[in-house]
Amino acid sequence: QMTDLIYAEKDLVQSLKEYIRAEENKLSQIKSWAEKMEVLTSKSASDPEGYLAHPVNAYKLVKRLNTDWLELENLVLQDTTNGFIANLTIQRQFFPTEEDETGAAKALMRLQDTYKLDPETLSRGSLPGTKYRSSLTVGDCFGMGKTAYNDGDYYHTVLWMEQALKQHDEGEDTTVSKVEILDYLSYAVFQFGDLHRAMELTRRLISLDSTHERAGSNLRYFEKLLEKEREEKEKEKSINKTVTTTEAVVQGGAYERPLDYLPERDIYEALCRGEGVKMTPRRQKRLFCRYHDGNRNPHLLIAPFKEEDEWDSPHIVRYYDVMSDEEIEKIKQLAKPKLARATVRDPKTGVLTVASYRVSKSSWLEEDDDPVVAKVNQRMQQITGLTVKTAELLQVANYGMGGQYEPHFDFSRKDEPDAFKRLGTGNRVATFLNYMSDVEAGGATVFPDFGAAIWPKKGTAVFWYNLFRSGEGDYRTRHAACPVLVGCKWVSNKWFHERGNEFLRPCGRTEVD
């Protein structure tokens, strides 16, 4: 886990300091020897014959060269790195991989896009709700740009290489050269069709390094393209036709972000920022709060739960004080050793696989793991009036830096009829989502179809039905977990299934009851 890496790094720092102390002690001994020998040799070299006339001096010279200098040689060759290297080797097996570093860079870019943060804001660490300030160096920004470039993402390449260049121009000390930055930046700009700027940046690169072969070749290529474009312009002008040029589409001083696979991307990200929420005064009047006793469930008559409407149609409710801090900590403690990258079910094969649109770690807890799991399951059954006997295991998920789950359905659609065939319990009729942490910024649960945003509150839970009473899927319930901007988000959820709930939630008279 990320917190474990903090302690591992602290341990390595202590080990490194011990190594430095051992090296300093060794150098101190060598320095002391050198100073002593400097005094002695200055004296002996001024009158060698007179010095050696004393038999003790002659003996000591022989002894020094035969024994003492050998001891010094052994001291110089003494390896003080063993302890540090051994510790580093042990810890390295838990270090993040190249894939992890790439994932972390992409997570920052995800936050940048979702919350409309410019590279300057991220680089200076000016984020809301942060306890600690942290900034990105030229090397960090360059690394971000390289990650984007290697992924064929020229939009973010331009943004981060420009930020690296800006900080370099401001005089920040770095080992990254302007030539390296301009090399990536000029090509990424060219990929956007901005030929004039690509030439300008390439010329700047050549002015810094006239021997740069690729830059020289690129410049000649760009000049040919520009000349070809001019000729076509002149030709088309003569026959009064519209000319398509390589001018890049620029919006607000920056290149436009390319469209991607998610049709509701703009709506989803706006809701994550708290924009576009369709909570009108008229709708607000239809929302109430009340005490909920689970349809006079004996366990809840004396101690009912506080229930609050979050949305009217589809009906989404929030329950307060569902889990105590002690229960939450225990659930997290049980889940941590089992956490693994969250998976999604391939709609065609039914096989679980990782996906870029779901970035979190999850684990599944059984009632046998600890009495607290059974207790929480029973509580969810009492609140909802649905049976947990056919429900899925309690899933615990942790969303770290940039953790998200893009818009998705919890229930299986008609084009994936075998999604839950293995369980034999029918479709997912309802979702019960426990918030086990507060989140400083980001991390909302949003519903793009009807414009709702629900913000995490530790100890509360939200509940909604995924299916109408007819068993038909309620496509309005497509929802998403927004990226965590600042903080760490813990949730647990229970998916209730159709089987066993036929009489607890009977069919309605119409398809959409």
Side-chain angles (χ1 to χ4, degrees), residues 37-247:
M37 292 309 299
E38 186 178 31
V39 172
L40 195 150
T41 53
S42 296
K43 185 178 176 182
S44 63
S46 64
D47 181 14
E49 290 184 7
Y51 181 81
L52 291 172
H54 196 299
V56 172
N57 285 342
Y59 163 74
K60 290 184 76 172
L61 175 64
V62 172
K63 178 182 178 292
R64 277 198 308 276
L65 292 171
N66 184 57
T67 305
D68 296 355
W69 277 97
L70 181 62
E71 289 176 0
L72 178 71
E73 181 184 1
N74 291 334
L75 176 62
V76 171
L77 293 173
Q78 193 179 88
D79 190 0
T80 60
T81 64
N82 287 341
F84 172 66
I85 295 301
N87 191 19
L88 185 60
T89 303
I90 292 168
Q91 298 284 11
R92 187 175 284 123
Q93 62 184 314
F94 305 112
F95 280 11
T97 62
E98 187 77 26
E99 184 183 356
D100 293 324
E101 185 179 343
T102 299
K106 287 183 177 180
L108 273 182
M109 294 176 209
R110 190 181 308 126
L111 295 176
Q112 176 184 357
D113 295 338
T114 304
Y115 297 104
K116 289 192 173 180
L117 304 171
D118 56 68
E120 177 79 15
T121 300
L122 274 176
S123 180
R124 301 305 175 203
S126 307
L127 300 177
T130 47
K131 186 177 179 182
Y132 304 99
R133 284 293 290 270
S134 185
S135 57
L136 297 173
T137 64
V138 170
D140 294 331
C141 296
F142 181 70
M144 292 281 291
K146 274 183 71 175
T147 297
Y149 181 89
N150 293 335
D151 203 40
D153 176 5
Y154 300 113
Y155 171 74
H156 288 105
T157 303
V158 170
L159 290 176
W160 284 104
M161 288 301 175
E162 283 180 337
Q163 183 61 28
L165 188 62
K166 179 176 181 290
Q167 290 179 211
H168 206 305
D169 288 341
E170 290 170 354
E172 185 179 309
D173 190 31
T174 180
T175 56
V176 179
S177 69
K178 283 187 183 180
V179 168
E180 290 176 282
I181 298 170
L182 288 165
D183 193 14
Y184 281 96
L185 180 56
S186 59
Y187 187 75
V189 163
F190 167 68
Q191 288 295 321
F192 267 99
D194 195 344
L195 197 53
H196 291 279
R197 185 147 180 258
M199 289 177 65
E200 175 195 326
L201 291 166
T202 306
R203 287 193 181 107
R204 184 177 173 186
L205 190 162
I206 292 171
S207 71
L208 295 170
D209 182 2
S210 59
T211 63
H212 200 289
E213 289 185 19
R214 185 168 55 252
S217 175
N218 285 347
L219 185 60
R220 289 189 293 274
Y221 177 64
F222 295 160
E223 286 171 342
K224 282 181 182 177
L225 285 178
L226 198 61
E227 183 59 34
K228 185 180 177 182
E229 188 178 289
R230 283 181 188 136
E231 288 174 1
E232 287 180 356
K233 270 188 181 180
E234 292 300 320
K235 187 178 177 181
E236 296 296 335
K237 269 184 184 177
S238 64
I239 54 174
N240 298 318
K241 283 190 177 180
T242 306
V243 186
T244 303
T245 70
T246 57
E247 290 296 319

Side-chain angles (χ1 to χ4, degrees), residues 438-456:
D438 292 312
V439 180
E440 285 84 346
T445 304
V446 299
F447 294 78
D449 186 80
F450 49 89
I454 299 171
W455 303 93

Side-chain angles (χ1 to χ4, degrees), residues 395-410:
Q395 181 181 223
V396 181
N398 173 230
Y399 296 83
M401 182 185 76
Q404 63 156 7
Y405 193 174
E406 288 181 354
H408 63 281
F409 299 101
D410 280 352

Side-chain angles (χ1 to χ4, degrees), residues 20-33:
I20 291 168
R21 280 195 290 270
E23 283 289 328
E24 286 175 340
N25 182 51
K26 175 178 156 181
L27 286 171
S28 178
Q29 292 180 60
I30 295 170
K31 185 179 179 182
S32 176
W33 167 265

